[in-house]
Amino acid sequence: MSETKPTTFIIFGASGDLTARKLIPALFNSYCKQRLPENFNIVGFARRPWDDAELRQVLKEGIQELAPDTYNEEQWAPFAQKISYAKGDLTTLEDFENLKDHLEKIENGSGNRLYYLAVAPRFFVPIVENLGAADMVDQNGGWRRVVVEKPFGHDLASAQALNKAIQAVFEEDQIYRIDHYLGKETAQNILYFRFANTIFEPVWNRNYVDNVQITVTESVDVGHRAGYYEEAGVVRDMFQNHLMQLLSLVAMEPPASFEANAVRNEKAKLFHAIRPLPLDQTVRAQYEGYLQTEEVAHGSQTPTYAAMELFIDNWRWQGVPFYLRSGKALTSKNTEIIVEFKQPPHLMFDDIKDEDFSANSLSMCIQPDEGIHLKLEAKIPDSHKTQPVEMEFHYRSSFKGNHLPDAYERLLLDAVRGDASLFTRADGIEAAWRLMDPVIYGWENDPYGPPMASYKHGSWGPEEAHALLNRSGRVWRHACSHPEE
Ligand code: BG6
C-alpha cells in the first residue's frame, strides 16, 4: 500500500484475547505479504505496567502459541520494532492526552490513525468520548477511523444509543463496525457468485426457489465464555449479526456498484422488507448440560440454539420461506447456505415417482470445506431411474496454493483503504435488532411463546427445529443435500 504519511493502528485492549488471537496475526500476515502501508506503526494501549519490550514479548508469545503457522522469526523482528506501548486507563482523559503525545511523536508531524476498540462493549462509549475530548478525531493531519467490535448493542435501544454516542464524535464514514463473517472469503464470494455469473440470477427468485436455508452450527459448547453467553444467548451472539448478514448477501437486490453505500443501501432495504417474526415460527433450545456449566444461572433461560422461519415481503421473495438455525454443542462446525429449487412442473418419466425425485439445490459451503455444490438429477446408467449427483467447486482444489486469509486480515486492510463495504452501517445494525428484539423479548415474556426445547450434545439440534420445516413438508438439508435424519 503506498501512502506517504505514517499510518498508526491504535489497539485499545492490547493485552486482550482478540489482540493476540486475531489482530496481531492479521497485521503480521499482511506485513509479510507487504500489504500494510509502507510507513506503519502499532500502538497498544492497556492498563498493565508494561513497556514496549514487554508488549512485544507478550504479542510474540501469543502469536507463537495461537497462530503458529503465521509466525516466522526473520519477519517478526522488524515487525516488532513497529510496536510500542502506551499505558493507560480507558476511562481516564489524561491517559488519552498522554496517548496523543505518544502518537504525535511517532507521527512526527501528521499521520493517519485507525483506532481499534478490542475491548468489552462497556468501554466503547468512554473511549470514543475520550478520543473526542482529547481532540484526537480531527482529520486535518490525516484520516481518523474507528473500528468497533461486536457485540454492537444488546438490543435495539442500546444499539441506537451506542450509534448516537459514537456519531456524536465520529462521522458515519469514519465508523467501521466489524462483523467478521463479512470478511470470510466464502461470504464475500456470495455476491461474486450471484453477480459475476449470468446463469444463476435469473432463477434467484420466488418463481424457481422453493426455500433457502442458512445453517451455522458449532461443535464447541459455551466453555469458559458462559459469563458472556448468559447475557447474550444465541440470537444476540449469532443471529442479529452473522446470520442476518449472510441472509442479506443471499437475498438482497443487486447493487449498482460495489461501493460501500450502494451495497449497504440494498442490505437495509432487504432488512426492512423482512416480515416481523411470529413466535410460532421460532424454536429455542438449550443443550443438555448447559445448566450445569460454571457461571450459568440456576434455571437459566438462555438459548444456546435457535431456528426461525422468516419471509421477505418483496417482489423477488414473496412466499419463499427462509430458514435460519444456529447453535452450540452440535454435531459439527458447519456454515452453509442452501438454496433449494422447485420441482420441475411436470415429470414425464414414468419410472420416477415424485418421492424418488429430489429437486435441484445449490449449497454454498462457507466453512469448512469451502466451496459450492450444485445438485442435479442424473439418469442411472442402464436403468430408467435417476439419482442425485453433484457438480462441485472446492477452494482447495480450484485455488491450490491460495491460502484463505483470515477475515480480520481483509477487514483491517479495508479499513485502512477506507473501504467500508464489508462493514455494517448504523441503519443495518438497527434494522437487524428491530427484527430480533421481539423474538428475544417474546421468548422471555410471552407465556404463549415456544417453550425451551432441549437437545443432546453432538446432535443436529432439537426435534422442534425439524418440526418447524416438516409442517410445510420440508426438511433441513446439508452439504450433500441429504435429509439429515
Ligand atoms: C462469534 C461468536 O461472533 O462468532 C462466537 O461470539 C462464535 O460465539 C463465533 O463461536 C463463530 O465464528 P467462526 O468464525 O468461528 O464461525
Side-chain angles (χ1 to χ4, degrees):
M1 232 183 248
S2 66
E3 162 67 88
T4 44
K5 278 187 189 150
T7 296
T8 307
F9 298 86
I10 299 106
I11 305 179
F12 294 103
S15 55
D17 194 53
L18 182 73
T19 304
R21 198 174 285 277
K22 294 291 179 187
L23 304 185
I24 293 298
L27 288 170
F28 183 58
N29 248 332
S30 297
Y31 172 76
C32 295
K33 294 180 189 167
Q34 300 185 335
R35 292 191 179 159
L36 289 184
E38 238 162 79
N39 188 354
F40 80 94
N41 294 291
I42 299 170
V43 174
F45 183 97
R47 276 205 321 210
R48 311 268 171 109
W50 289 341
D51 57 17
D52 296 349
E54 278 166 302
L55 174 65
R56 289 173 190 164
Q57 185 58 26
V58 167
L59 296 179
K60 179 175 167 177
E61 285 163 14
I63 195 170
Q64 284 174 324
E65 184 202 333
L66 301 166
D69 296 346
T70 306
Y71 181 76
N72 79 71
E73 193 76 37
E74 308 88 86
Q75 304 260 47
W76 179 263
F79 176 80
Q81 286 309 310
K82 305 281 196 169
I83 302 175
S84 62
Y85 187 62
K87 179 184 167 323
D89 185 293
L90 299 169
T91 58
T92 307
L93 177 58
E94 206 190 319
D95 292 344
F96 281 71
E97 278 155 358
N98 294 338
L99 172 65
K100 187 179 168 189
D101 292 343
H102 181 98
L103 293 172
E104 283 171 357
K105 268 188 219 127
I106 292 177
E107 290 164 348
N108 195 16
S110 63
N112 304 315
R113 296 181 192 164
L114 190 75
Y115 299 118
Y116 201 112
L117 312 192
V119 295
R122 67 178 185 284
F123 294 116
F124 293 169
V125 174
I127 295 175
V128 166
E129 286 178 351
N130 278 331
L131 288 171
D135 200 15
M136 297 170 75
V137 175
D138 182 291
Q139 303 205 79
N140 289 335
W143 54 252
R144 306 283 180 260
R145 296 179 190 138
V146 62
V147 181
V148 188
E149 263 295 332
K150 62 161 284 220
F152 199 91
H154 190 71
D155 55 12
L156 176 60
S158 56
Q160 283 170 326
L162 183 54
N163 274 328
K164 208 166 154 209
I166 301 176
Q167 286 166 338
V169 176
F170 287 94
E171 297 296 329
E172 178 62 31
D173 65 4
Q174 293 174 277
I175 307 171
Y176 289 72
R177 300 173 192 78
I178 284 242
D179 185 315
H180 77 278
Y181 265 60
L182 293 178
K184 290 184 191 282
E185 276 293 331
T186 41
Q188 292 167 44
N189 192 44
I190 298 171
L191 291 188
Y192 287 79
F193 179 82
R194 288 185 59 194
F195 304 128
N197 293 293
T198 317
I199 60 174
F200 300 107
E201 201 51 26
V203 297
W204 210 257
N205 57 51
R206 70 191 171 89
N207 296 322
Y208 297 95
V209 174
D210 178 81
N211 73 92
V212 179
Q213 305 182 4
I214 302 180
T215 292
V216 185
T217 54
E218 293 188 90
S219 51
V220 291
D221 57 24
V222 301
H224 64 278
R225 293 172 77 219
Y228 153 77
Y229 202 84
E230 269 287 275
E231 295 293 312
V234 68
V235 177
R236 291 188 177 96
D237 191 46
M238 298 297 290
F239 279 72
Q240 184 276 339
N241 39 39
H242 309 323
L243 276 91
M244 292 302 282
Q245 288 301 325
L246 292 177
L247 171 68
S248 70
L249 296 173
V250 178
M252 71 196 229
E253 294 301 313
S257 73
F258 205 22
E259 187 270 326
N261 277 330
V263 173
R264 299 186 302 177
N265 288 345
E266 293 307 331
K267 288 186 178 183
K269 267 163 45 190
L270 181 92
F271 288 148
H272 286 295
I274 299 176
R275 202 182 297 165
L277 269 91
L279 291 184
D280 65 358
Q281 285 169 213
T282 66
V283 170
R284 59 176 174 146
Q286 244 175 24
Y287 61 83
E288 288 174 8
Y290 177 71
L291 292 177
Q292 284 75 55
T293 311
E294 207 176 312
E295 288 192 88
V296 168
H298 178 71
S300 163
Q301 289 292 299
T302 301
T304 60
Y305 176 100
M308 301 176 188
E309 176 186 49
L310 55 84
F311 290 91
I312 300 172
D313 283 331
N314 65 12
W315 195 273
R316 183 189 287 263
W317 294 119
Q318 192 53 240
V320 177
F322 283 73
Y323 297 106
L324 275 51
R325 63 174 167 170
S326 180
K328 300 258 185 224
L330 294 166
T331 174
S332 58
K333 181 163 179 68
N334 187 29
T335 300
E336 66 183 307
I337 299 169
I338 305 229
V339 178
E340 202 172 13
F341 292 93
K342 293 188 170 174
Q343 296 272 8
H346 167 64
L347 266 186
M348 65 178 192
F349 308 103
D350 291 340
D351 289 346
I352 310 174
K353 300 191 187 59
D354 275 1
E355 58 273 23
D356 296 337
F357 190 85
S358 49
N360 298 138
S361 70
L362 183 96
S363 315
M364 290 184 262
C365 303
I366 306 294
Q367 62 184 19
D369 195 15
E370 293 81 359
I372 293 180
H373 299 218
L374 178 62
K375 196 186 64 165
L376 313 164
E377 280 295 302
K379 179 179 172 300
I380 303 173
D382 205 15
S383 134
H384 295 289
K385 298 211 179 278
T386 60
Q387 175 187 306
V389 293
E390 293 201 336
M391 287 169 62
E392 296 176 20
F393 144 62
H394 293 276
Y395 280 74
R396 71 181 128 76
S397 49
S398 297
F399 298 116
K400 280 198 192 105
N402 281 41
H403 169 72
L404 285 180
D406 185 76
Y408 279 86
E409 221 176 296
R410 166 72 195 258
L411 293 172
L412 275 162
L413 291 180
D414 277 4
V416 169
R417 281 192 206 102
D419 179 356
S421 34
L422 299 179
F423 293 81
T424 50
R425 203 171 58 186
D427 56 344
I429 294 255
E430 291 177 15
W433 277 122
R434 204 165 278 119
L435 287 161
M436 291 302 142
D437 263 14
V439 175
I440 297 169
Y441 290 112
W443 284 349
E444 285 167 7
N445 301 310
D446 187 338
Y448 300 107
M452 183 71 78
S454 134
Y455 61 99
K456 290 212 174 332
H457 218 287
S459 71
W460 272 105
E463 248 333 289
E464 287 78 349
H466 296 282
L468 180 73
L469 272 71
N470 295 162
R471 63 194 185 196
S472 61
R474 298 183 171 96
V475 289
W476 290 106
R477 306 281 180 190
H478 61 112
C480 300
S481 305
H482 304 309
E484 283 168 4
E485 275 151 33

